[in-house]
Amino acid sequence: MSENAKQKQFPWFSVLLFLVCFALACLLYLWKRKIVYGFAPFACFLLISFYRLLLKSKKKSKEAEEDEQQFVDLFSYFSIFVQDGFNVYNALEKVLPFAKGRLKAALEGLLREIEEDKTLAPYLSFASHFASLEIKEVMLAVYQMVDQGTGGIYLQQFQRLFGKISEQKKARAEEAYQERLDSLNFLPLLGGGISMLTLMLALLEIMGGMLNGL
């Protein structure tokens, strides 16, 4: 199933969740006869919906990061093939077996379009799969190597731009790793908070039992 088809799918889960929450709200109102109880299921619906949107956003961000990292890996090989004397088209063919997932499909599309269109358009179309402006600059440099040759200044320009992307990806990976480590610092605080809450509830229960015994 294509990405567009997935996006057009009817949100059955959200509708079903809303209907369940609506039914629970009605049951709670009939049971307690207070409208305030009916808001609890809808609050749960909003929280679950927000959580799902957050997960979806994180998934897209993760996929974008993975695609950019794979781009860096593939074009590291591409750079080697070009330096060994392969032309741009053959170098792209050589890296295709190393590609996977969405990027493999995009690279296959690039090769097909290059055969039909010798302009810059196929390279910009491939670059449109990424949000990074630097990747668009790299693909422009790749096209210039097609148009002007793979030697000299054009290869150096490609290597300079590609090296900049590689350094940025490495820096972002280090930052993400540090953020994960920092997030672990909250676990002891969370555990302490849960322990205090459990102790407080236990004390309240004991005090309630003592008061009921008076």
Side-chain angles (χ1 to χ4, degrees), residues 141 145 150-163:
M145 286 195 292
T150 57
I153 188 173
Y154 302 103
L155 178 58
Q156 293 175 11
Q157 181 181 6
F158 165 79
Q159 290 174 333
R160 177 178 58 82
L161 292 169
F162 182 71

Side-chain angles (χ1 to χ4, degrees), residues 9 14 89 153 157 189 197 201:
Q9 281 184 330
S14 297
Y89 184 85
I153 188 173
Q157 181 181 6
L189 296 176
L197 180 61
L201 292 174

Side-chain angles (χ1 to χ4, degrees), residues 1-2 20 28 31 40 71-73 79-80 86 89 92 94 97 100 117 130 132 136 147-148 150 165 175-176 203:
M1 183 181 293
S2 67
V20 170
L28 287 172
W31 178 32
F71 176 88
V72 170
D73 295 339
S79 179
I80 294 172
F86 287 88
Y89 184 85
L92 289 172
K94 287 289 185 181
K100 58 184 178 180
D117 187 351
F130 307 91
S132 172
K136 294 176 174 61
D147 195 41
Q148 306 293 336
T150 57
I165 292 180
E175 289 175 3
L203 290 173

Side-chain angles (χ1 to χ4, degrees), residues 178-194:
Q178 187 61 47
E179 287 176 359
R180 286 196 296 270
L181 290 180
D182 292 341
S183 66
L184 295 178
N185 294 332
F186 290 98
L187 293 179
L189 296 176
L190 179 62
I194 293 174

